[in-house]
Each structure stands twice: as structure tokens, then as C-alpha cells.
Amino acid sequence: MTGVELRDVSFRYPTSAGNVLKSVTLQCRPGQITWLYGPFGAGASTVLLLAAGLAPRHTGGTMTGAVSVLGHPLDAAGLSPLLGQIGFVTATPHLQMSGIAATVWEEVAFAPANLGWPLARIEQAVEDAMTALGVAHLAGREPDTLSGGELQRTVIASMAVLEPAVWLLDEPTTALDAAGQTDAYRMFRRAARDGATVVVASEQADALADVVDRLIVLRDGEVVLDGDPMSLLAGDDIWEGGPGSTSVAGLCRDASRHVDSPRLAMPYPVTIAHALERWG
Amino acid sequence: MTAVLTFVSVRFGYLRGAPPVLEDLSFQIHPGEGAALLGPNGVGKTTVARLAMAIRSPQHGAVTTVGRPTRALGPEDLADAVGYVFQHPEMQMIERTVAAELGFGPRRMGWPQERIDKRVGAVLRELGLAAVASTHPYDLPVGHRRLVALGAALMVEPSLLILDEPTAGLDREARKTVHRVVRGQREEGTAVLAVTHDTEFAVEALERGLVLDSGSLVADGPLADLLARHRATGLSLPGPALIAHRLGWPTRSLRTEDVTVALVERCRQEGPSIS
């Protein structure tokens, strides 16, 4: 079964000049972290909104083609079969707090409580999620008093608490310090290992290169590359038709334009470890 | 040289009874200086930015911004000389188009329309936003909104730029734009204080690092040294700089441009036969 599937999907927002997605077909599989990568306007965030059932339902706009999540078509039949199965961390986490929780603990417990979980289960799940994201010490704080990084951790915990089958993550670690990023990606990895479909839209090539299983590159609303992350990031196509690779691959590629050396040949080193091995 | 921003023994806390966020914070920033304010989540970095912009006042000690003691001031009293990019740019956007958003501050300050239009045009070009001048800021990708906020901060040709995570969520092109713009501002004498976790931005556009922890500075020095040594904060150099550092390449700076030069030089010396 496919986690998230788009078949020949074209979509435009009410205010966009043309289609922001053009005949996109892609599949994100359970057990994998799939990275949607493309520069501004490429359509990665829009794919997440469609998969979450928020577009076109809440955004407006027009869509053709078919979107399905966990085998359920997201059509007029509605999202009810998927209730509690999809977690979404948006690129504006401060706008997705409930706004009615008095404490961070209540914020993280908000979705499970609304799904009617028994209290004991909620307590355990909230504690686990808060611990995993390093916000357990903030349990009693008013959400309004959190720093940007603490807030982003709390939003991730609020989603992780449901242990959803599909994780949709739009730039989920922009406000996190290095330790927080590590915690977050460790958690996404654990979810994938447990069978979840994890989809991340991000511009952070250096952070994602060695934590994802699959890379889908978008450009101007179209899928231009789809495959193994390391192979794609080590090549030239991702620069010529897409958003570029990691800073290490970029360093090697730029240097190769100035001097002809086997040390700079493709496949380019993608990570720091690759580079130290090749140039050390 | 007179400092553009001065903190003297600043103490500040949001909650009565709770330990203060900032305990005894002192530092100065001078014209043209670029300082990265570093440290883990929740340590008070954004609070420092708010104090500098007179959004908050210290409970003890003093903050002086562009020569003005902030105690009796609000942010509007600094708006003619200080640009501030919020961590969440949505929270500082009011107007219906990008161009109007950039003109908002100067309009409130009574600039003639002609001067506003001219400056808006120049800033839009500098940031590569000319094509979206009449777009609603909320119709832009989140990252682009951050560039709009930066544009608004640049309008008054500020003596001090306060940037809270200016590169978060930006794509490669936009990050390069921010690097270039911040360097350019500094060359013109603008002082920059930037809260950031992005060490690539820090190395490309700034040169001093202030590390905040437990209410005061635990380190203050050249960024390159600090990032290479300061394991305690969990910070590390960006990829290319780290490689140069580890392999002992002589570089003019740790900017990627200079690391590239060093790599090219090494490959030239070795000649084409070595693999």
C-alpha cells in the first residue's frame, strides 16, 4: 500500500497565475522518509497541503487528478477514515497552536483528547512525545511564553503524540538548535521504522542528505528527479534542472570548474564524511 | 568609535517569581560590525533582540540603542534608525501588497511619496522581489515573506539591523541574497545583530560570535574560532569550512568562496595524475 499518492495532479490556488502543480505523479511509501525538495514556488508545500486534505478544501483553488492517502481517495467522501492518521507540521508553527491550551502539556494533549482517548493513554503518550522532543521541562508553561525553538518542538510533539501513520513536515526544524534537529530527525526515523510514511518538504540539503531514504525534486510544479538521495545529490542533474545539492557537493562542483582533477570528479562528495575521505 | 548598541549589566525576566532569562548581560556592537547571537533554544536570544528594539525594557541595567537609552522608549522611537526582522515575519506584516508593506514604516514617518517609491524600488531590486511587488505577502511562500520583512527593515537605511533567524526556511538563492545584502549593509557601516542557528549564514555574512547561556555571555569572539572550538554549544562550522579546518587548508576566511579557492589550489599543486 502507498502512504501518499498523487496521480496526474494539477492544482492552482485562487490567487495563482497558473498551475502551481502540473501533472504531478508521485508515491511516498510507508517505512520511508521521503524528501520533497525544490526552490520557492516549486510546489513541495502544496503537495503536503493536498496530502493533508487542506487543499483545495480550505485553501480554495482547483485540482484535477487524484490524491490518495493510505489507500483512501481524498475526494468528496471526506477525510473521516483518516481521522487521527495524518500529522502535519506546517512551516508556520506559531499559527498552528490551538490557542486555547493553558499549558504546554494541554497543548500536546489537545488532539488525543479530541479523539476521545482514555486519560491514562493520553498521559503516557504526552509524556513520551514531550520527552522525545526535549520539552518535558516545559509541561507547565503557558504556550504564549515559549521561545521560537521551544514552540516548534512543542508543535512537533503535538503531532507525534498521535503516532500518525502519515507524517507531513514542512520545514519542521527551522527554529531548532543542533540538538533539537537531531532529536527531531531521530524521532522521524523511528516513526518510519515503525511503518509510518514520513514526508518532509525542506530546503535544508545539508541537514537532510543522510537522513532520508528517497528524494523527489520539484521544479516549477513538476517532478524532475525521483530516486536514491545520495546518487542524485552527487550528480550534476540536481544543479542543472533543480535546486542544487549540499554545500559540500557544491564546493566540489565549483572547484571542478576551475581545475581539472580526479579529486573533483563526479560523483561529488555529498557529506562532510565523504569529503574528508576523498580529500584527507 | 561610538557603539551602536550597548547592553550594560542587563537583567530581564518575563515572569514574576521565576528566575530571570537574562541575568547580567553586557556587550557592545560598533558600526559595521556583524555579530551572531548564538545559543541553544530557550536561552533568551530573541529576548535580547526585543530589548535592543525597546519592545521590552530591562529590569536592571541599561540598553542604549543608536545612542538612545531605551528605558522610556518604544520601538516606534527607534524605527527611523533601526531595522528589525521578526522570527515570524507574519507578525510584522500589515499591508496588502509587498510594495505597500515596504512603504508602511516610511509612510508613518511622513516621507514624501516620491521618496518612498524610489526607495521601495531600490530595495525590491536589491532583494530580487521586483516581480512580486504587487503580490499579497501571504500569497508568497513562507521563506519569501522573510525577504519581504528584511526589505521593510532596510527601508530607512538603518544604522542597526536586528535579525531574528533571517535565513530560516530560505532556499539556496534566497540565502545567497541575504548573505550578500547583510555583507553590503555592513560595508556601508550598518551594525548587525543576528539571532541564528544557521552557521553558514553566520560565516558568510558576520564575523563575531556571542554565545548566550544561562542569562549571560559564555563566549564572545571571532566566529571562526568560536565555531571551531566551541563544542559545548553543539555548534559546528558549516560543511566546507569544517572540511578546510579539519584538513588544515590555508584559507583567507572560512567563507565557502575562500574554501573553494583553497581546494582549487591544492588540486593544482597535486597535478592531474594524483587520485
Side-chain angles (χ1 to χ4, degrees):
Chain A
M1 189 184 55
T2 316
V4 172
E5 180 169 17
L6 272 65
R7 222 171 324 122
D8 200 21
V9 169
S10 296
F11 176 76
R12 65 187 294 172
Y13 292 102
T15 54
S16 51
N19 281 343
V20 293
L21 293 181
K22 300 162 190 164
S23 302
V24 168
T25 295
L26 60 83
Q27 297 182 334
C28 306
R29 296 190 185 90
Q32 288 195 335
I33 302 180
T34 302
W35 172 21
L36 302 177
Y37 182 32
F40 289 161
S45 296
T46 303
V47 170
L48 295 185
L49 287 169
L50 287 165
L54 293 171
R57 186 180 299 257
H58 292 287
T59 60
T62 49
M63 189 192 94
T64 58
V67 179
S68 70
V69 174
L70 301 172
H72 298 280
L74 297 189
D75 53 18
L79 297 167
S80 48
L82 293 166
L83 202 62
Q85 304 262 5
I86 303 177
F88 193 2
V89 175
T90 68
T92 50
H94 55 291
L95 301 180
Q96 80 175 100
M97 301 287 276
S98 70
I100 58 168
T103 65
V104 168
W105 191 93
E106 285 182 24
E107 180 67 34
V108 178
F110 183 79
N114 275 276
L115 291 171
W117 291 14
L119 185 59
R121 184 178 169 204
I122 294 176
E123 284 175 340
Q124 186 62 54
V126 169
E127 192 186 321
D128 291 349
M130 291 184 62
T131 304
L133 269 309
V135 289
H137 66 291
L138 303 172
R141 279 271 291 276
E142 282 178 53
D144 278 355
T145 68
L146 296 177
S147 80
E150 290 168 344
L151 185 145
Q152 196 166 37
R153 289 166 184 255
T154 300
V155 167
I156 298 172
S158 306
M159 187 213 63
V161 69
L162 293 172
E163 297 187 19
V166 177
W167 299 48
L168 305 173
L169 309 163
D170 196 351
E171 289 291 2
T173 64
T174 47
L176 298 193
D177 55 29
Q181 280 207 20
T182 307
D183 287 350
Y185 279 101
R186 188 177 296 144
M187 167 179 256
F188 304 154
R189 171 52 61 200
R190 199 164 55 234
R193 201 161 46 223
D194 292 346
T197 303
V198 180
V199 190
V200 191
S202 176
E203 301 291 344
Q204 307 302 310
D206 286 15
L208 269 82
D210 53 5
V211 298
V212 298
D213 303 300
R214 166 107 174 280
L215 170 58
I216 297 177
V217 178
L218 293 142
R219 187 195 193 189
D220 295 333
E222 295 180 73
V223 173
V224 291
L225 296 167
D226 183 348
D228 170 59
M230 282 300 167
S231 332
L232 293 176
L233 291 166
D236 255 338
D237 291 351
I238 200 161
W239 293 95
E240 280 153 19
S245 178
T246 62
S247 60
V248 174
L251 169 68
C252 185
R253 185 171 184 268
D254 283 349
S256 74
R257 294 170 155 193
H258 295 97
V259 57
D260 188 18
S261 164
R263 291 242 197 190
L264 305 176
M266 279 204 290
Y268 304 128
V270 172
T271 64
I272 291 164
H274 293 167
L276 291 175
E277 197 177 315
R278 184 185 292 201
W279 298 327
Chain B
M1 205 185 326
T2 319
V4 182
L5 179 64
T6 305
F7 276 55
V8 180
S9 303
V10 168
R11 185 171 71 219
F12 179 83
Y14 290 98
L15 305 173
R16 266 175 229 284
V21 182
L22 304 175
E23 194 77 64
D24 180 18
L25 179 64
S26 301
F27 67 91
Q28 289 197 326
I29 297 179
H30 292 93
E33 211 174 5
L37 187 55
L38 309 163
N41 286 146
V43 85
K45 300 184 296 295
T46 296
T47 302
V48 172
R50 287 183 187 141
L51 285 160
M53 192 64 205
I55 295 169
R56 298 282 188 166
S57 284
Q59 284 139 5
H60 178 267
V63 175
T64 306
T65 305
V66 293
R68 305 168 200 173
T70 63
R71 190 166 293 280
L73 303 182
E76 64 279 12
D77 301 306
L78 298 172
D80 62 319
V82 185
Y84 188 2
V85 174
F86 284 39
Q87 184 170 18
H88 305 303
E90 293 81 13
M91 292 184 174
Q92 68 187 113
M93 292 192 180
I94 300 160
E95 294 285 357
R96 286 160 189 265
T97 70
V98 168
E101 185 63 48
L102 262 55
F104 178 80
R107 227 169 11 255
R108 305 268 297 184
M109 282 178 252
W111 288 22
Q113 192 60 41
E114 199 184 337
R115 183 179 170 203
I116 296 175
D117 292 345
K118 206 172 150 200
R119 181 71 185 143
V120 167
V123 170
L124 288 176
R125 276 192 301 280
E126 188 172 6
L127 291 172
L129 292 171
V132 295
S134 16
T135 303
H136 195 295
Y138 278 45
D139 284 336
L140 293 174
V142 176
H144 259 139
R145 287 178 214 160
R146 214 175 286 279
L147 286 188
V148 175
L150 177 59
L154 294 176
M155 281 297 293
V156 297
E157 301 183 59
S159 328
L160 173 65
L161 261 182
I162 302 168
L163 309 173
D164 200 342
E165 297 286 3
T167 55
L170 299 194
D171 65 6
R172 179 185 312 275
E173 282 311 307
R175 288 200 297 270
K176 278 191 185 161
T177 301
V178 173
H179 300 166
R180 173 176 53 74
V181 166
V182 171
R183 275 199 308 270
Q185 287 291 310
R186 291 185 47 211
E187 278 160 22
E188 288 169 25
T190 301
V192 178
L193 176 67
V195 174
T196 191
H197 294 292
D198 177 358
T199 55
E200 181 196 29
F201 161 69
V203 164
E204 292 295 327
L206 310 170
E207 97 270 284
R208 178 176 167 199
L210 306 172
V211 182
L212 190 62
D213 207 349
S214 308
S216 61
L217 292 184
V218 292
D220 178 358
L223 258 171
D225 298 352
L226 230 147
L227 293 176
R229 282 189 292 108
H230 211 85
R231 297 256 160 200
T233 57
L235 295 165
S236 68
L237 289 164
L242 183 62
I243 291 162
H245 180 71
R246 287 265 185 86
L247 299 180
W249 297 348
T251 57
R252 208 162 63 91
S253 80
L254 289 176
R255 288 180 53 196
T256 298
E257 192 179 291
D258 290 324
V259 175
T260 310
V261 170
L263 174 57
V264 168
E265 195 45 44
R266 277 186 79 80
C267 292
R268 279 214 177 104
Q269 285 167 5
E270 285 172 350
S273 61
I274 300 166
S275 63

